[in-house]
Amino acid sequence: MGFEGEVWHVRGRTDAKARVGEILIEDADFPWLSGRFTPGPAYDAVRDLFVRELALAERDDDGHGDEWEATCDEIGARVSLVSPDGPVAEFLLHIDGDRAWFRWSEEPFGSFGSFGDRGGDG
C-alpha cells in the first residue's frame, strides 16, 4: 500500500505546534496502520486518556461502549492526526507504550458504526 516508512504526527488539537508524538509506520494491514510510537513533549498531558481508551477497547463485557465512545471523542477533541499529506478528518488511534495503531479517513465518520471493528489489536 505504500504507507510503510511514513511518519505520521499526533498534534495538539488547539495548539498544532504541540507535539504529542510521531508514528513510524511499519505495517499496513488495511484498514489499520501500525508502527513505532515516539512520544513528544505534549504526550504526558494525554497519556492517561490513551491508557483509558485502550483498557476500554480491550474489555470483553457489555455496558462500556458509551464510555469508550466518550473517551474516543475526548481524544479527538484534544489531538489531531497528521499524515504526510496533511491532517486527516477522522481517526481511531490506540497507543500502547511504544506501539500505535489506527484507522483514519479523509471524511468525517459520522458514527463509529461505519468502522465496524473498533478495537483491533494492531
Side-chain angles (χ1 to χ4, degrees):
M1 282 215 147
F3 293 105
E4 289 92 351
E6 291 183 349
V7 176
W8 289 52
H9 300 273
V10 184
R11 303 266 189 223
R13 176 70 67 185
T14 58
D15 179 2
K17 293 181 182 180
R19 293 182 303 118
V20 175
E22 294 181 346
I23 305 165
L24 172 62
I25 305 302
E26 298 172 334
D27 187 40
D29 185 14
F30 186 79
W32 292 96
L33 299 181
S34 64
R36 179 163 304 280
F37 177 73
T38 303
Y43 182 61
D44 284 344
V46 293
R47 177 188 316 264
D48 290 344
L49 190 56
F50 282 101
V51 169
R52 184 170 71 229
E53 183 279 329
L54 189 58
L56 289 166
E58 292 177 342
R59 280 178 58 178
D60 195 21
D61 60 344
D62 292 331
H64 69 280
D66 289 344
E67 185 179 356
W68 178 81
E69 286 190 21
T71 302
C72 289
D73 288 345
E74 187 175 349
I75 289 171
R78 300 204 36 207
V79 304
S80 62
L81 183 63
V82 182
S83 78
D85 295 326
V88 302
E90 295 279 348
F91 61 93
L92 174 58
L93 171 63
H94 305 288
I95 298 174
D96 186 12
D98 69 347
R99 305 299 305 161
W101 60 104
F102 61 93
R103 292 174 160 193
W104 62 278
S105 175
E106 294 176 351
E107 301 293 328
F109 297 152
S111 73
F112 283 108
S114 63
F115 256 154
D117 171 29
R118 301 181 209 175
D121 56 2

